Amino acid sequence: MVEKVITLDNVSLIDFLGVENHNIKEVAAAFPMSKIISRGNEIRIKGTTPEISRISDILDSLMEHYQKYGKITHENIQNYLLNSGIPVSGTGSVPPVPPDDDEVLVYGTRGVVVRAKTDNQKRLVEAAEKHDLVFAIGPAGTGKTYTAVAIAVRALKNKEVKKIIITRPAVEAGENLGFLPGDLKEKIDPYLRPIYDALDDMIPAEKLKFYQENRIIEIAPLAYMRGRTLNNAFILLDEAQNTTPMQMKMFLTRMGPTSKAIITGDRSQIDLPNRQKSGLIESVEILKNIKGISFVELDGRDVVRHRLVREIITAYDKAGQ
């Protein structure tokens, strides 16, 4: 007998292995002549070389399934065993692996399926596929930030980029970050809470922690982008209406040759000091004729929050606010 060790990196062990390692036990039951043991993030397989190869192929398929859909079910395991020619009980009732859905952006956590829900959100997805720089502009509640995060996470999962960088100007409280208590993360976390909420929906907690610890997903204030060249990355600038013209120019010139960027903002929520021009508004005017840059406008029809939010936005638009 020979032995092979498979290391599970960058996965939620409870989601992949199952409660009390039930998923792996189910695979092991299909190969009684081999021994499959799970300890921590390692799976040890002992058996003949041909059988170890078959088990490895099944585990690889399950890993690919987990990376795409975020979970493993009993039906998934039976289906992959059947596809490998392993007989299982109740074969007549085993459903197929979920088909690809071009409209799904991310299969997230807790069964969340993230997709564009409105016409303009779909336009944002299409624009990001065709252009390296996209501006998504619209009022609160239109899903521009959430959709942009989903597009970036999809690109990372599909290995189209090596990292995600999310940034936002921290000006809402009118305070200098240096005077707020705590380390850098504690200072900026309140400003970036919507980003974390979106990521929590799309990436399991253990995996998100791994990504952040290894700088695969980086969340930082806009001031920390200065002087950097961001290569092979998906870059999101959120709340861009609160950038100054110089900050916006600085951000736009960070893009490396293999980067993509989405800039989101709301013209109606500018929190800059009086008479300070918004970098977002200025950049839209300056860049509107450059080929390769796309501008997507979202409006009240794209609101996916409480039904009253749409009516509130409409009322403020009519009042010219």
Side-chain angles (χ1 to χ4, degrees), residues 190-250:
Y191 299 98
L192 297 165
R193 192 68 256 164
I195 304 296
Y196 285 112
D197 289 344
L199 290 171
D200 286 342
D201 276 355
M202 301 174 198
I203 302 174
E206 289 182 22
K207 193 171 184 181
L208 180 56
K209 182 180 179 182
F210 172 87
Y211 279 159
Q212 290 188 265
E213 288 176 347
N214 290 272
R215 299 176 69 84
I216 296 171
I217 293 181
E218 182 180 348
I219 304 173
L222 183 58
Y224 284 74
M225 296 297 106
R226 190 175 299 278
R228 301 179 62 183
T229 300
L230 307 176
N231 286 318
N232 206 355
F234 209 116
I235 316 158
L236 303 182
L237 171 58
D238 193 38
E239 298 288 343
Q241 75 275 3
N242 288 325
T243 61
T244 65
M246 287 301 296
Q247 286 176 326
M248 178 61 79
K249 181 180 178 182
M250 178 273 291

Short mmCIF file of all heavy atoms in Angstrom, two decimals, residues 190-250:
data_model
loop_
_atom_site.label_atom_id
_atom_site.label_comp_id
_atom_site.label_asym_id
_atom_site.label_seq_id
_atom_site.Cartn_x
_atom_site.Cartn_y
_atom_site.Cartn_z
N PRO A 190 -14.95 51.25 10.54
CA PRO A 190 -16.30 51.81 10.46
C PRO A 190 -16.64 52.38 9.08
O PRO A 190 -17.78 52.31 8.65
CB PRO A 190 -16.28 52.92 11.52
CG PRO A 190 -15.22 52.50 12.48
CD PRO A 190 -14.17 51.85 11.63
N TYR A 191 -15.65 52.93 8.39
CA TYR A 191 -15.88 53.49 7.06
C TYR A 191 -16.09 52.41 6.01
O TYR A 191 -16.72 52.63 4.99
CB TYR A 191 -14.70 54.37 6.64
CG TYR A 191 -14.45 55.54 7.55
CD1 TYR A 191 -13.47 55.49 8.54
CD2 TYR A 191 -15.19 56.71 7.43
CE1 TYR A 191 -13.25 56.56 9.38
CE2 TYR A 191 -14.96 57.79 8.27
CZ TYR A 191 -13.99 57.71 9.24
OH TYR A 191 -13.77 58.77 10.07
N LEU A 192 -15.52 51.23 6.28
CA LEU A 192 -15.51 50.16 5.28
C LEU A 192 -16.51 49.04 5.61
O LEU A 192 -16.48 47.99 4.99
CB LEU A 192 -14.10 49.58 5.16
CG LEU A 192 -13.04 50.57 4.66
CD1 LEU A 192 -11.65 50.04 4.92
CD2 LEU A 192 -13.23 50.88 3.19
N ARG A 193 -17.39 49.27 6.58
CA ARG A 193 -18.33 48.24 7.00
C ARG A 193 -19.17 47.69 5.85
O ARG A 193 -19.38 46.47 5.75
CB ARG A 193 -19.23 48.79 8.10
CG ARG A 193 -20.07 47.76 8.82
CD ARG A 193 -19.21 46.84 9.65
NE ARG A 193 -19.05 45.52 9.03
CZ ARG A 193 -18.13 44.64 9.37
NH1 ARG A 193 -17.27 44.94 10.31
NH2 ARG A 193 -18.05 43.48 8.78
N PRO A 194 -19.67 48.53 4.93
CA PRO A 194 -20.45 47.98 3.80
C PRO A 194 -19.64 47.00 2.95
O PRO A 194 -20.20 46.04 2.41
CB PRO A 194 -20.84 49.23 3.00
CG PRO A 194 -20.80 50.34 3.99
CD PRO A 194 -19.67 50.01 4.91
N ILE A 195 -18.34 47.25 2.84
CA ILE A 195 -17.49 46.34 2.07
C ILE A 195 -17.38 44.99 2.78
O ILE A 195 -17.52 43.92 2.17
CB ILE A 195 -16.08 46.95 1.88
CG1 ILE A 195 -16.16 48.32 1.21
CG2 ILE A 195 -15.19 45.99 1.10
CD1 ILE A 195 -16.71 48.30 -0.18
N TYR A 196 -17.13 45.03 4.08
CA TYR A 196 -17.04 43.78 4.84
C TYR A 196 -18.36 43.01 4.80
O TYR A 196 -18.36 41.78 4.70
CB TYR A 196 -16.66 44.08 6.29
CG TYR A 196 -15.21 44.46 6.50
CD1 TYR A 196 -14.85 45.74 6.88
CD2 TYR A 196 -14.19 43.52 6.31
CE1 TYR A 196 -13.52 46.08 7.07
CE2 TYR A 196 -12.86 43.85 6.50
CZ TYR A 196 -12.53 45.15 6.88
OH TYR A 196 -11.22 45.48 7.07
N ASP A 197 -19.48 43.73 4.88
CA ASP A 197 -20.78 43.06 4.83
C ASP A 197 -20.95 42.31 3.51
O ASP A 197 -21.46 41.17 3.48
CB ASP A 197 -21.91 44.08 4.99
CG ASP A 197 -22.00 44.64 6.41
OD1 ASP A 197 -21.41 44.02 7.32
OD2 ASP A 197 -22.63 45.69 6.59
N ALA A 198 -20.53 42.94 2.42
CA ALA A 198 -20.63 42.29 1.11
C ALA A 198 -19.71 41.07 1.04
O ALA A 198 -20.12 39.99 0.59
CB ALA A 198 -20.29 43.29 0.00
N LEU A 199 -18.48 41.23 1.49
CA LEU A 199 -17.53 40.11 1.46
C LEU A 199 -18.00 38.96 2.33
O LEU A 199 -17.82 37.78 1.97
CB LEU A 199 -16.14 40.59 1.91
CG LEU A 199 -15.41 41.52 0.95
CD1 LEU A 199 -14.15 42.07 1.60
CD2 LEU A 199 -15.04 40.79 -0.35
N ASP A 200 -18.61 39.26 3.48
CA ASP A 200 -19.12 38.20 4.35
C ASP A 200 -20.18 37.36 3.66
O ASP A 200 -20.33 36.17 3.95
CB ASP A 200 -19.71 38.82 5.63
CG ASP A 200 -18.63 39.31 6.59
OD1 ASP A 200 -17.47 38.89 6.44
OD2 ASP A 200 -18.96 40.13 7.48
N ASP A 201 -20.95 37.97 2.77
CA ASP A 201 -21.98 37.25 2.02
C ASP A 201 -21.38 36.33 0.97
O ASP A 201 -22.02 35.35 0.56
CB ASP A 201 -22.92 38.23 1.32
CG ASP A 201 -24.04 38.73 2.22
OD1 ASP A 201 -24.14 38.25 3.37
OD2 ASP A 201 -24.79 39.61 1.78
N MET A 202 -20.17 36.65 0.53
CA MET A 202 -19.62 35.99 -0.66
C MET A 202 -18.47 35.03 -0.39
O MET A 202 -18.19 34.15 -1.21
CB MET A 202 -19.15 37.05 -1.66
CG MET A 202 -20.26 37.99 -2.09
SD MET A 202 -19.64 39.35 -3.12
CE MET A 202 -21.01 40.51 -2.97
N ILE A 203 -17.80 35.18 0.75
CA ILE A 203 -16.62 34.36 1.04
C ILE A 203 -16.72 33.82 2.46
O ILE A 203 -16.95 34.60 3.39
CB ILE A 203 -15.32 35.20 0.89
CG1 ILE A 203 -15.22 35.78 -0.53
CG2 ILE A 203 -14.10 34.34 1.18
CD1 ILE A 203 -14.05 36.72 -0.72
N PRO A 204 -16.54 32.51 2.67
CA PRO A 204 -16.57 31.96 4.03
C PRO A 204 -15.57 32.66 4.94
O PRO A 204 -14.50 33.10 4.49
CB PRO A 204 -16.20 30.48 3.81
CG PRO A 204 -16.58 30.20 2.40
CD PRO A 204 -16.33 31.47 1.64
N ALA A 205 -15.89 32.73 6.22
CA ALA A 205 -15.10 33.52 7.17
C ALA A 205 -13.63 33.09 7.21
O ALA A 205 -12.72 33.94 7.18
CB ALA A 205 -15.72 33.42 8.56
N GLU A 206 -13.38 31.78 7.25
CA GLU A 206 -11.99 31.31 7.32
C GLU A 206 -11.22 31.68 6.06
O GLU A 206 -10.04 32.05 6.12
CB GLU A 206 -11.97 29.79 7.51
CG GLU A 206 -12.42 29.34 8.90
CD GLU A 206 -12.32 27.82 9.05
OE1 GLU A 206 -11.55 27.20 8.30
OE2 GLU A 206 -13.04 27.27 9.90
N LYS A 207 -11.90 31.56 4.93
CA LYS A 207 -11.25 31.87 3.66
C LYS A 207 -10.98 33.36 3.55
O LYS A 207 -9.91 33.78 3.08
CB LYS A 207 -12.14 31.40 2.51
CG LYS A 207 -11.47 31.37 1.16
CD LYS A 207 -12.39 30.69 0.17
CE LYS A 207 -11.72 30.55 -1.19
NZ LYS A 207 -12.63 29.90 -2.17
N LEU A 208 -11.93 34.19 3.99
CA LEU A 208 -11.75 35.63 3.95
C LEU A 208 -10.59 36.04 4.84
O LEU A 208 -9.77 36.90 4.47
CB LEU A 208 -13.03 36.35 4.38
CG LEU A 208 -13.00 37.88 4.39
CD1 LEU A 208 -12.61 38.43 3.02
CD2 LEU A 208 -14.36 38.42 4.82
N LYS A 209 -10.49 35.42 6.02
CA LYS A 209 -9.37 35.71 6.92
C LYS A 209 -8.04 35.35 6.26
O LYS A 209 -7.07 36.11 6.33
CB LYS A 209 -9.54 34.92 8.22
CG LYS A 209 -8.45 35.18 9.24
CD LYS A 209 -8.68 34.36 10.51
CE LYS A 209 -7.56 34.59 11.52
NZ LYS A 209 -7.74 33.76 12.74
N PHE A 210 -8.00 34.20 5.60
CA PHE A 210 -6.78 33.78 4.89
C PHE A 210 -6.42 34.79 3.81
O PHE A 210 -5.26 35.19 3.67
CB PHE A 210 -7.00 32.40 4.26
CG PHE A 210 -5.89 31.94 3.36
CD1 PHE A 210 -4.79 31.28 3.87
CD2 PHE A 210 -5.94 32.18 1.98
CE1 PHE A 210 -3.75 30.87 3.03
CE2 PHE A 210 -4.93 31.78 1.14
CZ PHE A 210 -3.83 31.11 1.67
N TYR A 211 -7.42 35.21 3.03
CA TYR A 211 -7.18 36.18 1.96
C TYR A 211 -6.60 37.47 2.52
O TYR A 211 -5.67 38.06 1.95
CB TYR A 211 -8.48 36.48 1.23
CG TYR A 211 -8.90 35.47 0.19
CD1 TYR A 211 -10.23 35.37 -0.22
CD2 TYR A 211 -7.97 34.61 -0.40
CE1 TYR A 211 -10.61 34.46 -1.19
CE2 TYR A 211 -8.36 33.69 -1.35
CZ TYR A 211 -9.68 33.62 -1.74
OH TYR A 211 -10.05 32.71 -2.70
N GLN A 212 -7.15 37.96 3.62
CA GLN A 212 -6.69 39.23 4.17
C GLN A 212 -5.31 39.10 4.80
O GLN A 212 -4.47 39.99 4.64
CB GLN A 212 -7.71 39.76 5.19
CG GLN A 212 -9.00 40.22 4.54
CD GLN A 212 -9.92 40.91 5.52
OE1 GLN A 212 -10.81 40.30 6.09
NE2 GLN A 212 -9.70 42.19 5.73
N GLU A 213 -5.07 38.00 5.50
CA GLU A 213 -3.76 37.81 6.12
C GLU A 213 -2.66 37.69 5.09
O GLU A 213 -1.51 38.07 5.34
CB GLU A 213 -3.78 36.56 7.01
CG GLU A 213 -4.59 36.73 8.29
CD GLU A 213 -4.67 35.46 9.11
OE1 GLU A 213 -4.31 34.39 8.57
OE2 GLU A 213 -5.09 35.53 10.28
N ASN A 214 -2.99 37.18 3.92
CA ASN A 214 -1.99 37.00 2.85
C ASN A 214 -2.08 38.09 1.79
O ASN A 214 -1.51 37.95 0.70
CB ASN A 214 -2.16 35.62 2.22
CG ASN A 214 -1.75 34.50 3.14
OD1 ASN A 214 -0.59 34.11 3.19
ND2 ASN A 214 -2.71 33.97 3.90
N ARG A 215 -2.82 39.16 2.09
CA ARG A 215 -2.93 40.34 1.23
C ARG A 215 -3.46 40.00 -0.16
O ARG A 215 -3.16 40.67 -1.15
CB ARG A 215 -1.58 41.06 1.13
CG ARG A 215 -1.07 41.55 2.47
CD ARG A 215 0.31 42.17 2.36
NE ARG A 215 0.26 43.42 1.63
CZ ARG A 215 -0.05 44.60 2.18
NH1 ARG A 215 -0.35 44.68 3.46
NH2 ARG A 215 -0.05 45.70 1.45
N ILE A 216 -4.26 38.93 -0.23
CA ILE A 216 -4.95 38.62 -1.48
C ILE A 216 -6.17 39.52 -1.61
O ILE A 216 -6.54 39.93 -2.71
CB ILE A 216 -5.35 37.13 -1.50
CG1 ILE A 216 -4.09 36.25 -1.50
CG2 ILE A 216 -6.20 36.80 -2.73
CD1 ILE A 216 -4.37 34.77 -1.29
N ILE A 217 -6.80 39.82 -0.49
CA ILE A 217 -7.81 40.87 -0.43
C ILE A 217 -7.29 41.93 0.52
O ILE A 217 -7.01 41.66 1.69
CB ILE A 217 -9.17 40.33 0.06
CG1 ILE A 217 -9.77 39.39 -0.98
CG2 ILE A 217 -10.14 41.49 0.31
CD1 ILE A 217 -11.14 38.83 -0.60
N GLU A 218 -7.15 43.13 0.01
CA GLU A 218 -6.59 44.23 0.80
C GLU A 218 -7.62 45.36 0.86
O GLU A 218 -8.17 45.78 -0.15
CB GLU A 218 -5.30 44.73 0.13
CG GLU A 218 -4.61 45.84 0.88
CD GLU A 218 -3.33 46.28 0.19
OE1 GLU A 218 -2.88 45.58 -0.75
OE2 GLU A 218 -2.82 47.35 0.55
N ILE A 219 -7.89 45.81 2.07
CA ILE A 219 -8.83 46.90 2.29
C ILE A 219 -8.08 48.03 3.00
O ILE A 219 -7.56 47.82 4.09
CB ILE A 219 -10.05 46.44 3.12
CG1 ILE A 219 -10.72 45.24 2.45
CG2 ILE A 219 -11.05 47.57 3.28
CD1 ILE A 219 -11.82 44.61 3.27
N ALA A 220 -8.01 49.18 2.37
CA ALA A 220 -7.20 50.25 2.92
C ALA A 220 -7.79 51.61 2.55
O ALA A 220 -8.50 51.73 1.55
CB ALA A 220 -5.76 50.15 2.39
N PRO A 221 -7.51 52.63 3.36
CA PRO A 221 -7.97 53.98 3.01
C PRO A 221 -7.27 54.49 1.77
O PRO A 221 -6.15 54.06 1.44
CB PRO A 221 -7.61 54.82 4.24
CG PRO A 221 -6.49 54.08 4.88
CD PRO A 221 -6.74 52.63 4.63
N LEU A 222 -7.91 55.40 1.08
CA LEU A 222 -7.39 55.90 -0.19
C LEU A 222 -6.00 56.51 -0.05
O LEU A 222 -5.17 56.39 -0.95
CB LEU A 222 -8.36 56.93 -0.77
CG LEU A 222 -8.02 57.52 -2.13
CD1 LEU A 222 -7.89 56.42 -3.17
CD2 LEU A 222 -9.08 58.53 -2.54
N ALA A 223 -5.73 57.15 1.08
CA ALA A 223 -4.43 57.79 1.26
C ALA A 223 -3.27 56.81 1.15
O ALA A 223 -2.16 57.19 0.78
CB ALA A 223 -4.39 58.49 2.63
N TYR A 224 -3.53 55.52 1.45
CA TYR A 224 -2.47 54.51 1.42
C TYR A 224 -2.23 53.96 0.01
O TYR A 224 -1.38 53.08 -0.16
CB TYR A 224 -2.80 53.38 2.39
CG TYR A 224 -2.57 53.77 3.83
CD1 TYR A 224 -3.46 54.63 4.48
CD2 TYR A 224 -1.47 53.31 4.54
CE1 TYR A 224 -3.26 55.01 5.79
CE2 TYR A 224 -1.26 53.69 5.86
CZ TYR A 224 -2.17 54.54 6.48
OH TYR A 224 -1.95 54.91 7.78
N MET A 225 -2.93 54.46 -0.98
CA MET A 225 -2.70 54.04 -2.36
C MET A 225 -1.59 54.85 -3.03
O MET A 225 -1.06 54.46 -4.06
CB MET A 225 -3.99 54.20 -3.18
CG MET A 225 -5.15 53.31 -2.76
SD MET A 225 -4.81 51.54 -2.94
CE MET A 225 -4.57 51.09 -1.21
N ARG A 226 -1.25 55.98 -2.45
CA ARG A 226 -0.27 56.88 -3.08
C ARG A 226 1.07 56.18 -3.27
O ARG A 226 1.57 55.51 -2.39
CB ARG A 226 -0.09 58.12 -2.21
CG ARG A 226 0.73 59.23 -2.89
CD ARG A 226 0.78 60.48 -2.03
NE ARG A 226 -0.57 61.01 -1.82
CZ ARG A 226 -1.21 61.79 -2.69
NH1 ARG A 226 -0.63 62.10 -3.84
NH2 ARG A 226 -2.42 62.24 -2.41
N GLY A 227 1.63 56.35 -4.47
CA GLY A 227 2.96 55.82 -4.76
C GLY A 227 2.99 54.37 -5.20
O GLY A 227 4.04 53.86 -5.56
N ARG A 228 1.84 53.69 -5.20
CA ARG A 228 1.81 52.28 -5.55
C ARG A 228 1.43 52.07 -7.02
O ARG A 228 0.74 52.90 -7.61
CB ARG A 228 0.80 51.52 -4.68
CG ARG A 228 1.08 51.59 -3.20
CD ARG A 228 0.03 50.85 -2.40
NE ARG A 228 0.00 49.41 -2.71
CZ ARG A 228 -0.87 48.57 -2.18
NH1 ARG A 228 -1.78 49.00 -1.32
NH2 ARG A 228 -0.84 47.28 -2.50
N THR A 229 1.91 50.98 -7.60
CA THR A 229 1.44 50.52 -8.91
C THR A 229 0.76 49.19 -8.68
O THR A 229 1.37 48.25 -8.17
CB THR A 229 2.61 50.36 -9.90
OG1 THR A 229 3.25 51.62 -10.07
CG2 THR A 229 2.08 49.87 -11.25
N LEU A 230 -0.52 49.10 -9.02
CA LEU A 230 -1.33 47.94 -8.67
C LEU A 230 -1.47 47.03 -9.89
O LEU A 230 -2.27 47.29 -10.79
CB LEU A 230 -2.70 48.40 -8.16
CG LEU A 230 -2.61 49.43 -7.01
CD1 LEU A 230 -4.00 49.92 -6.63
CD2 LEU A 230 -1.90 48.83 -5.81
N ASN A 231 -0.68 45.96 -9.92
CA ASN A 231 -0.67 45.03 -11.04
C ASN A 231 -1.52 43.80 -10.75
O ASN A 231 -1.63 43.36 -9.60
CB ASN A 231 0.77 44.57 -11.34
CG ASN A 231 1.58 45.65 -12.01
OD1 ASN A 231 1.10 46.34 -12.90
ND2 ASN A 231 2.82 45.81 -11.57
N ASN A 232 -2.08 43.24 -11.82
CA ASN A 232 -2.82 41.97 -11.75
C ASN A 232 -3.81 41.99 -10.59
O ASN A 232 -3.91 41.03 -9.82
CB ASN A 232 -1.85 40.80 -11.59
CG ASN A 232 -2.43 39.51 -12.13
OD1 ASN A 232 -3.59 39.46 -12.54
ND2 ASN A 232 -1.64 38.46 -12.12
N ALA A 233 -4.54 43.09 -10.49
CA ALA A 233 -5.46 43.26 -9.37
C ALA A 233 -6.80 43.79 -9.87
O ALA A 233 -6.88 44.43 -10.92
CB ALA A 233 -4.87 44.22 -8.34
N PHE A 234 -7.84 43.51 -9.10
CA PHE A 234 -9.13 44.14 -9.31
C PHE A 234 -9.26 45.20 -8.22
O PHE A 234 -9.24 44.88 -7.04
CB PHE A 234 -10.27 43.12 -9.21
CG PHE A 234 -11.45 43.49 -10.06
CD1 PHE A 234 -11.84 42.69 -11.12
CD2 PHE A 234 -12.17 44.64 -9.82
CE1 PHE A 234 -12.93 43.02 -11.92
CE2 PHE A 234 -13.26 44.99 -10.61
CZ PHE A 234 -13.63 44.19 -11.66
N ILE A 235 -9.39 46.45 -8.62
CA ILE A 235 -9.36 47.57 -7.67
C ILE A 235 -10.74 48.22 -7.62
O ILE A 235 -11.32 48.53 -8.65
CB ILE A 235 -8.31 48.62 -8.10
CG1 ILE A 235 -7.01 47.95 -8.54
CG2 ILE A 235 -8.04 49.59 -6.96
CD1 ILE A 235 -6.17 48.81 -9.44
N LEU A 236 -11.24 48.40 -6.41
CA LEU A 236 -12.53 49.07 -6.22
C LEU A 236 -12.31 50.35 -5.42
O LEU A 236 -11.70 50.32 -4.35
CB LEU A 236 -13.50 48.16 -5.47
CG LEU A 236 -13.81 46.79 -6.06
CD1 LEU A 236 -14.83 46.07 -5.18
CD2 LEU A 236 -14.32 46.90 -7.47
N LEU A 237 -12.82 51.44 -5.96
CA LEU A 237 -12.85 52.70 -5.21
C LEU A 237 -14.31 52.99 -4.90
O LEU A 237 -15.11 53.26 -5.79
CB LEU A 237 -12.24 53.84 -6.03
CG LEU A 237 -12.40 55.24 -5.43
CD1 LEU A 237 -11.82 55.34 -4.03
CD2 LEU A 237 -11.77 56.29 -6.36
N ASP A 238 -14.66 52.92 -3.62
CA ASP A 238 -16.03 53.13 -3.19
C ASP A 238 -16.19 54.55 -2.63
O ASP A 238 -15.22 55.16 -2.18
CB ASP A 238 -16.39 52.10 -2.12
CG ASP A 238 -17.88 52.03 -1.84
OD1 ASP A 238 -18.67 52.16 -2.79
OD2 ASP A 238 -18.25 51.84 -0.67
N GLU A 239 -17.42 55.06 -2.66
CA GLU A 239 -17.71 56.42 -2.16
C GLU A 239 -16.81 57.46 -2.83
O GLU A 239 -16.30 58.38 -2.19
CB GLU A 239 -17.55 56.48 -0.64
CG GLU A 239 -18.49 55.58 0.12
CD GLU A 239 -19.94 56.05 0.11
OE1 GLU A 239 -20.17 57.22 -0.21
OE2 GLU A 239 -20.83 55.24 0.40
N ALA A 240 -16.65 57.31 -4.13
CA ALA A 240 -15.71 58.17 -4.86
C ALA A 240 -16.13 59.63 -4.90
O ALA A 240 -15.32 60.51 -5.20
CB ALA A 240 -15.52 57.64 -6.28
N GLN A 241 -17.41 59.92 -4.60
CA GLN A 241 -17.85 61.32 -4.58
C GLN A 241 -17.12 62.13 -3.51
O GLN A 241 -17.07 63.35 -3.56
CB GLN A 241 -19.37 61.41 -4.37
CG GLN A 241 -19.84 61.14 -2.95
CD GLN A 241 -20.04 59.66 -2.68
OE1 GLN A 241 -19.76 58.83 -3.54
NE2 GLN A 241 -20.51 59.31 -1.50
N ASN A 242 -16.51 61.43 -2.54
CA ASN A 242 -15.81 62.12 -1.47
C ASN A 242 -14.31 62.20 -1.70
O ASN A 242 -13.55 62.50 -0.77
CB ASN A 242 -16.09 61.43 -0.13
CG ASN A 242 -17.51 61.69 0.35
OD1 ASN A 242 -18.05 62.77 0.14
ND2 ASN A 242 -18.12 60.69 0.99
N THR A 243 -13.88 61.94 -2.93
CA THR A 243 -12.48 62.19 -3.28
C THR A 243 -12.32 63.62 -3.77
O THR A 243 -13.24 64.19 -4.36
CB THR A 243 -12.00 61.24 -4.39
OG1 THR A 243 -12.79 61.47 -5.57
CG2 THR A 243 -12.11 59.79 -3.98
N THR A 244 -11.16 64.18 -3.55
CA THR A 244 -10.82 65.46 -4.16
C THR A 244 -10.32 65.19 -5.58
O THR A 244 -9.97 64.04 -5.90
CB THR A 244 -9.73 66.17 -3.37
OG1 THR A 244 -8.51 65.40 -3.46
CG2 THR A 244 -10.11 66.34 -1.90
N PRO A 245 -10.26 66.19 -6.44
CA PRO A 245 -9.72 65.97 -7.79
C PRO A 245 -8.32 65.37 -7.78
O PRO A 245 -8.01 64.48 -8.58
CB PRO A 245 -9.74 67.37 -8.40
CG PRO A 245 -10.90 68.04 -7.73
CD PRO A 245 -10.87 67.55 -6.32
N MET A 246 -7.46 65.82 -6.85
CA MET A 246 -6.10 65.28 -6.80
C MET A 246 -6.11 63.82 -6.34
O MET A 246 -5.34 63.00 -6.84
CB MET A 246 -5.25 66.12 -5.85
CG MET A 246 -4.87 67.48 -6.42
SD MET A 246 -3.96 67.35 -8.00
CE MET A 246 -2.47 66.51 -7.45
N GLN A 247 -6.98 63.49 -5.39
CA GLN A 247 -7.07 62.09 -4.95
C GLN A 247 -7.56 61.19 -6.07
O GLN A 247 -7.06 60.08 -6.24
CB GLN A 247 -8.02 61.99 -3.75
CG GLN A 247 -7.45 62.50 -2.45
CD GLN A 247 -8.48 62.46 -1.33
OE1 GLN A 247 -9.68 62.66 -1.57
NE2 GLN A 247 -8.04 62.21 -0.11
N MET A 248 -8.54 61.66 -6.83
CA MET A 248 -9.06 60.86 -7.93
C MET A 248 -7.98 60.64 -8.98
O MET A 248 -7.80 59.51 -9.48
CB MET A 248 -10.28 61.53 -8.56
CG MET A 248 -10.85 60.77 -9.76
SD MET A 248 -11.41 59.09 -9.37
CE MET A 248 -12.99 59.46 -8.60
N LYS A 249 -7.25 61.68 -9.33
CA LYS A 249 -6.16 61.54 -10.31
C LYS A 249 -5.12 60.55 -9.79
O LYS A 249 -4.62 59.71 -10.54
CB LYS A 249 -5.53 62.89 -10.60
CG LYS A 249 -4.41 62.82 -11.63
CD LYS A 249 -3.80 64.19 -11.88
CE LYS A 249 -2.66 64.10 -12.89
NZ LYS A 249 -2.01 65.41 -13.11
N MET A 250 -4.79 60.66 -8.51
CA MET A 250 -3.82 59.74 -7.91
C MET A 250 -4.30 58.30 -8.03
O MET A 250 -3.55 57.40 -8.43
CB MET A 250 -3.60 60.11 -6.44
CG MET A 250 -2.63 59.19 -5.68
SD MET A 250 -3.42 57.74 -4.94
CE MET A 250 -4.41 58.51 -3.64
#
